[in-house]
Amino acid sequence: MSEFITKEKRTHYCGDLRISHVGETVTLMGWTHRRRDHGGVIFVDLRDRTGIAQVVFNPEKSPMAHTEAHKIRSEYVLAVRGTVITRLEGMENPSLKTGQIEVMVDELEILNESKTPPFMLDEETEISETVRLKYRYLDLRRRHIQRNLLLRDKVATATRNYLHDQGFVEIETPFLGKSTPEGARDYLVPSRVNPGMFYALPQSPQLFKQLLMVSGFDRYYQIVKCFRDEDLRADRQPEFTQIDMELSFISEDDLIDIIEGLMARIFKEGMGLDLTLPFPRLTYGEAISRYGRDNPDRRFGLELKDLTDVLSTSQLKVFAEVASRGGMIKAIKLEDGKRLSRKDLDLLPGYVSDFGAKGLAWARVNEDGWTSPIFKFLTAEEVARINERMDASPGDLIFFVADTPKVVNDALGNLRVHIAEKLGLITPDTYAFTWITEFPMFEYSETEKRFMATHHPFTSPVLEDVPLLLSEPGKVRAQAYDLVLNGSEIGGGSIRIHKSAVQSTVFKALALSDEDVRAKFGFFLDALEYGTPPHGGIAFGLDRIIMIMAGAESIRDVIAFPKTQKATCLLTEAPSAASLAQLMELSLKVV
RNA sequence: GGGGUCGUAGUUAAGUCGGUUAUAACGCCGGCCUGUCACGCCGGAGGCCGUGGGUUCGAGUCCCAUCGACCCCGCCA
C-alpha cells in the first residue's frame, strides 16, 4: 500500500483550488493530464473529476520530487503535497478555473503508472466512437462526457429530493417479470427451475406501479431501468432509464402541476435555469395539424397550413386527385427563401421521400405571382388565396405536399425541422416545453387489422367518450398526455382505468379475447376489483432529458456504458455465446 | 428487413486519372531547454491501407462479397 495514502489524506480536489487557498499546504491526488518539462522546472496538469490544477516541480525547492517527476508520463496517477502559491504576474491562465494559483510540490509519489492511452484525453480531437467505446473507461475520463454524467447525477438527485418533498415513496419493482403484449419486443430470460418458461425484462413497471396504488402507497416513484428489444437510434438504447411515478386521487391537472414543479427543480439544480411555468398545452389534434407531429419542436415557426379546400378543385391533377381520394394538401412557408441554396433545395424532395412523399412542390413568391413549376396550373384566385393563407410576402418560399394525411404530416413535420436545422433557425440554449393532451385512445393498425392502444390499454378514456368505446373506437380520446421538449417526447403518462368494467370494455375494443386477457393480466383485473383508487401517472426518459440539457447529439454520450447500434457492448463484447452446459441447464436447444 | 455515409501509423486526417519509396499533424521514444500551460527546438521509431476474392503488367485507388461503426425508414403501446 502506498506510504503516502496511509500517511496522509487527500485534502482538496484539483479543480476546487482558488486564490483563497494561497499559503495552505494541500495534498492532491489525480491523473497526469499533461507534463511540460523545461529541463529545469517541470509543470504537470493534475486532473481529477473536478478539473485541473497546475503543480510545479522546482529542482531548487525540492530536488527529490523533481527527480521523481522526470518519470511522469500521461495518465500516471500521482499524489502530491505542496503549497498553494499565487502565480507570478503575467503567468495566470484564464482558461482554467484554478489559473490564478499553482501548487509548489515538496513531495511526490507516483501511485501508479499508465500505458500510453490509445487516444488523447483532451477535447481537441474527435475520436471515432468505435475506439471510444472500446476504451470507455478512458473516454469517461474526458471532460465533456464526465460533465454529462455529473449533470445526470445532479438531475437524479434533484428528482429524488423533489419527489420526497412531495410525499412520494420510492419502491423497487421486479426486473424478472411477465411478458406483456401490446408493446415493444421483450427481452426474455429463461427460467432454469421452470424448463421452457421465460421471464421478460420490463418495458416499464406499468402494472406493478398501478398495483402499488391498489395497495395504498398513494405516491410512488422509481428511477428505473427499462428494456425494449427494438432497433436502436441516436436517441434510443435497448436499456434506458425512466423516472417512473404513479399517484392516487389526482386529476390530469394535478399531475401536470407536480411535473412542472419537477422540471423547474431539475433545470434549476442541474443548470441554474429558471423555467417559465406553466408550460403551454396543445391537443394532439392541434399538434398534428400545426406541426405534423405529436412531438413538435416549438423553438421556431414554419407551421403547417392546410390548403386542401383551396386546391381540391384545382386544374393541377395531382392535387385534385389526392383531395378526391380523401387525402390532403398542406404547405409550409419559409420567409426569405433565398437563404436556402439551390443545392439544398434540390435535396429536399429526396428528404421528404424518406417519409413516403412522392413529390415536393415549391413556389417562390414574387410581387406579381410565383416562380414555380405549378404556377401555370393555378388560377389567379387560387394563388391569391394561398398567399393569403400562408401570409406570404415577396421572397418567401412555399413547400407543398399532397398525399394521405399521415404522409403529408410526416413529410412536412420533418421537413420543417430539417430546414430549421439547416438554416440555424433554432436559438441554442432555449427550452420549449409543451404538453400534448387528448391523444386518441386507439389507432387502427393496418398490419394487425385491428385497433391498438395509442398509449397502453390501461389508459382511461375521456369520460364523455366512454359510450363510444365499442361503437366508434377511432373517436375516443384518452386522458393521456406527453411532455415534449424541443421536439423530443421526454415523458408520457395517463390517468388509468380504475374500474374493472371499463377495463374489460377497452380490452373488447382492442379485440383481445377473454382467454388472452385472462392469461396475460387476469391478476391485474382481479386487483382492480378490490377497491382501486382513481389514479394516474407518468414516466420520463431520463437519458433524453439529460441529452437535451447537455446538448448531446447522441444518447450514448449521457450513458456511462452504452450499446452500439447492433446492441453490442464494444468494451465487454456482450452479448457472447453461452456454453453448452449453460444452455442445457436452461433447457435451451442449440440452433 | 430496407436506404445511406464511413473504414489508411496509437489518434485524426490527406492520398489526383490505377503507376514505382503511402503523406501530414498530434501522440510515442531519445536528446536539449528554469515559467510553461495544446511549452519550444533537434533527432527517431511506427503501416495486414478493415477482411476475403476478382479485374489489371500493376490496386489504398476499380468491381464483388463480407465484417464493423454511425445516420435514417420500418419498428419503438
Side-chain angles (χ1 to χ4, degrees), chain A residues 129 132-133 136 139-140 143-156 225 233-237 239-241 541-563:
Chain A
E129 219 169 338
R132 287 176 55 199
L133 291 178
R136 187 59 161 182
D139 189 38
L140 290 173
R143 196 162 59 102
H144 82 278
I145 191 145
Q146 216 162 60
R147 198 199 296 133
N148 291 350
L149 293 183
L150 294 173
L151 171 65
R152 189 179 174 121
D153 167 67
K154 275 191 193 168
V155 169
K225 273 290 178 74
R233 285 283 192 286
D235 62 351
R236 260 166 35 194
Q237 283 273 302
E239 53 178 309
F240 58 98
T241 305
L542 178 63
D543 316 275
R544 281 190 190 173
I545 294 176
I546 304 299
M547 200 179 147
I548 294 169
M549 292 175 84
E553 287 190 1
S554 155
I555 198 169
R556 297 181 297 278
D557 283 344
V558 301
I559 295 175
F561 300 102
K563 302 281 189 288

Side-chain angles (χ1 to χ4, degrees), chain A residues 125-249:
Chain A
T125 35
E126 294 258 322
I127 312 297
S128 77
E129 219 169 338
T130 320
V131 179
R132 287 176 55 199
L133 291 178
K134 183 172 175 193
Y135 299 95
R136 187 59 161 182
Y137 45 91
L138 296 179
D139 189 38
L140 290 173
R141 285 186 193 166
R142 304 206 305 164
R143 196 162 59 102
H144 82 278
I145 191 145
Q146 216 162 60
R147 198 199 296 133
N148 291 350
L149 293 183
L150 294 173
L151 171 65
R152 189 179 174 121
D153 167 67
K154 275 191 193 168
V155 169
T157 304
T159 300
R160 291 198 173 92
N161 290 340
Y162 174 83
L163 292 175
H164 280 294
D165 290 351
Q166 296 287 323
F168 282 76
V169 181
E170 181 174 6
I171 301 175
E172 293 160 86
T173 51
F175 275 6
L176 296 176
K178 197 173 159 78
S179 185
T180 50
E182 301 274 312
R185 197 174 290 116
D186 285 318
Y187 274 100
L188 293 179
V189 180
S191 167
R192 177 182 56 83
V193 291
N194 300 282
M197 307 290 230
F198 296 84
Y199 301 100
L201 300 181
Q203 300 174 27
S204 98
Q206 185 60 36
L207 292 178
F208 287 110
K209 67 174 174 176
Q210 290 191 240
L211 292 176
L212 289 170
M213 294 303 103
V214 178
S215 305
F217 282 96
D218 192 67
R219 289 185 172 200
Y220 139 94
Y221 88 98
Q222 190 179 189
I223 296 181
V224 62
K225 273 290 178 74
C226 300
F227 306 85
R228 291 176 191 176
D229 187 6
E230 296 292 347
D231 285 355
L232 290 81
R233 285 283 192 286
D235 62 351
R236 260 166 35 194
Q237 283 273 302
E239 53 178 309
F240 58 98
T241 305
Q242 282 194 350
I243 303 171
D244 189 53
M245 58 191 99
E246 195 76 11
L247 307 82
S248 293
F249 310 113

